Amino acid sequence: MGRKSSQRKNAVMLDTDDTDSVSSSSTSRSEMIVSGAEEVQVDKETLLDQCVDALYEKRGSTREKALASIIEAFNSDIQHEFVEKKFATLLQQCLNSIKRGSSKEITLASHVLGILALTAGPGNKAHEMLEESVSPIREALKSRSEASKISSLLECLAIITFVGSEEPEETENSMQLMWQVIHPKIGPNVATAKPSPPMITAMVSAWSFLLTTVGGLALNPKIWQGSISYFSTLLDKDDRAVRIAAGEALALVFEVGSLEKFSVEDKGSSDSSKDEVNKSKDILHIQGLRAKVLNQVRSLSVEAGGKGSAKKDLNSQRNTFRDILEFLEEGYPPESSMKIGGDSLTTSTWRRLIQLNFLKHFLGGGFVKHMQENEFLHDVFGFTPKKKLLSVEHRISGTEKRLYKSPNSVANKARTQFRNKQRMLSQDKNVGYYTAGDEV
């Protein structure tokens, strides 16, 4: 404010000729800046076009470099206009890479698909992506030669389902596909090699991320009975990342509610007296399972650490399991606050915390940029940055304004549907919410 006042005083002291000169030079600089920004934008668009063209090349290393450049471009800017023009082409070329590429190419293409979905936002494009991608991803997951490839495919499936799913059944289908990576007995023709700890961690994290989008009441009990027992066994594994992922999954399951869907088998009895007996057995089973999990969580919250264990990882485990213990015993979910630019993003449920951590991990260097400018993520977290980058408004084209500003636009309608879904989830969670003091 003082700087502007000083500039105004100096302007008054200038004579007419000087004022005209200053005005002229200021206008000239402004035009140069705008022109320069437009040139940079054109250069980026040209580079992206060249990268997409390179995806048709026969040499795998050329396609890998192109995919890496596309990721970098999507991390540095929200490429709405490019997605509008090249969505179908980029989708098909990435799916071709997943079908026929090397492990490195599959890893890169998976990431491009995920960031493409986040940029497009909910609506027809994201739903089309989900429908087109499930089959190629399913086939690629059958070959579990490299953990990094499998992890990338699982993250990709999680992201495109998160954005593109329009029905709970679609989300649950993706969750089942993830589950089959480490539970091949659930599905036919799935490799039976023992999954590595990184694969298990990736699967549990991706599965939990999708569970945040469906209420417990919407899940099929025949599919997920026994999952709490499985996560409980993971708490005893040697790998710390596996234990943390399993602990967060358990906390989320308890927060979602409807525990019987995750812990006991649907007997399907029509005899009312037998139903009462089975119900009593189920209650005892859930209480016993919960007591076991509590003991495991309590032990992990105070673990002393083994030989050679990284102190940072140990502290992360202790803090995570202290939060889980407090939630299971007292019913208080962890509260977190993260600085994004000059703004704070807070979470107060396991659901939001798991979503935030998953997206932060997936986006990596592009996380802050997307959180500041990606309207879909603003809707997800109810986050509105106070300060927008000045260049954003200058870069928004007429096409983008029609896509994102018009109340009748497809994107706007999709965002409205997403917000309604989020509200329904909150209501569902409140209905099924369960804490230590409640009866099962």
Side-chain angles (χ1 to χ4, degrees), residues 161 165 167-177 214 218-221 223-224:
T161 304
S165 173
E167 300 294 337
E169 292 79 11
E170 292 176 323
T171 301
E172 194 162 29
N173 286 339
S174 292
M175 292 169 70
Q176 281 183 273
L177 185 53
V214 290
L219 293 172
N220 185 339
I223 297 175
W224 304 115

Side-chain angles (χ1 to χ4, degrees), residues 75 111 359-368:
N75 279 345
H111 196 85
L359 288 165
K360 182 182 178 183
H361 167 76
F362 177 79
L363 287 168
F367 174 74
V368 171

Side-chain angles (χ1 to χ4, degrees), residues 371-388:
M371 284 306 306
Q372 287 177 327
E373 298 183 23
N374 190 317
E375 292 189 21
F376 169 60
L377 296 186
H378 295 170
D379 289 340
V380 170
F381 296 103
F383 175 67
T384 305
K386 296 174 184 175
K387 296 179 181 179
K388 297 276 188 178

Side-chain angles (χ1 to χ4, degrees), residues 46-278:
T46 302
L47 174 63
L48 278 169
D49 287 335
Q50 292 172 348
C51 288
V52 172
D53 290 341
L55 297 179
Y56 290 92
E57 295 291 331
K58 291 183 178 181
R59 189 184 294 273
S61 59
T62 302
R63 298 195 302 270
E64 290 168 7
K65 289 177 181 177
L67 289 167
S69 295
I70 291 171
I71 292 170
E72 185 177 347
F74 272 71
N75 279 345
S76 61
D77 277 303
I78 313 301
Q79 304 287 345
H80 288 310
E81 196 161 359
F82 180 78
V83 169
E84 182 63 20
K85 293 188 298 184
K86 297 285 188 177
F87 175 83
T89 302
L90 191 52
L91 170 60
Q92 290 307 315
Q93 289 309 113
C94 285
L95 292 179
N96 287 338
S97 291
I98 287 176
K99 292 173 184 176
R100 298 190 291 269
S102 64
S103 291
K104 182 179 180 181
E105 186 175 346
I106 291 172
T107 298
L108 290 166
S110 297
H111 196 85
V112 171
L113 283 179
I115 205 167
L116 179 62
L118 289 172
T119 304
N124 294 337
K125 285 186 172 64
H127 191 247
E128 175 191 345
M129 179 183 291
L130 176 60
E131 292 182 324
E132 295 284 332
S133 302
V134 168
S135 181
I137 290 176
R138 179 190 292 113
E139 290 302 312
L141 285 171
K142 291 179 181 179
S143 173
R144 299 187 293 175
S145 55
E146 292 187 27
S148 60
K149 179 188 78 173
I150 299 301
S151 298
S152 295
L153 286 165
L154 290 169
E155 289 177 359
C156 171
L157 181 60
I159 294 291
I160 62 177
T161 304
F162 180 75
V163 182
S165 173
E166 295 180 353
E167 300 294 337
E169 292 79 11
E170 292 176 323
T171 301
E172 194 162 29
N173 286 339
S174 292
M175 292 169 70
Q176 281 183 273
L177 185 53
M178 295 169 179
W179 202 258
Q180 289 171 5
V181 172
I182 55 175
H183 277 285
K185 64 181 180 181
I186 291 180
N189 303 319
V190 180
T192 57
K194 185 177 180 181
S196 65
M199 285 184 193
I200 296 173
T201 302
M203 190 289 293
V204 174
S205 297
W207 185 91
S208 300
F209 179 66
L210 288 188
L211 180 59
T212 66
T213 69
V214 290
L217 300 177
L219 293 172
N220 185 339
K222 293 181 179 179
I223 297 175
W224 304 115
Q225 54 92 12
S227 55
I228 291 181
S229 295
Y230 173 70
F231 291 137
S232 175
T233 64
L234 294 184
L235 294 182
D236 294 327
K237 298 294 183 182
D238 293 333
D239 190 271
R240 185 163 284 132
V242 169
R243 296 199 296 265
I244 291 174
E248 291 181 342
L250 283 165
L252 180 62
V253 166
F254 279 89
E255 183 176 81
V256 166
S258 301
L259 295 184
E260 67 281 356
K261 291 192 175 186
F262 296 97
S263 57
V264 294
E265 187 175 0
D266 184 12
K267 307 298 190 306
S269 171
S270 59
D271 188 322
S272 59
S273 61
K274 288 183 179 179
D275 283 348
E276 288 301 317
V277 172
N278 289 335

Side-chain angles (χ1 to χ4, degrees), residues 383-435:
F383 175 67
T384 305
K386 296 174 184 175
K387 296 179 181 179
K388 297 276 188 178
L389 295 176
L390 294 176
S391 57
V392 172
E393 288 300 321
H394 293 296
R395 287 203 302 265
I396 293 180
S397 67
T399 303
E400 287 179 290
K401 286 178 180 177
R402 287 194 298 275
L403 283 170
Y404 290 90
K405 304 300 180 184
S406 169
N408 295 319
S409 70
V410 173
N412 214 315
K413 289 177 181 177
R415 288 201 304 275
T416 301
Q417 291 174 353
F418 182 83
R419 291 190 189 105
N420 291 338
K421 179 181 175 183
Q422 294 290 91
R423 282 194 287 270
M424 289 175 65
L425 275 174
S426 298
Q427 293 170 1
D428 186 12
K429 181 176 76 66
N430 291 334
V431 170
Y433 189 75
Y434 169 78
T435 62

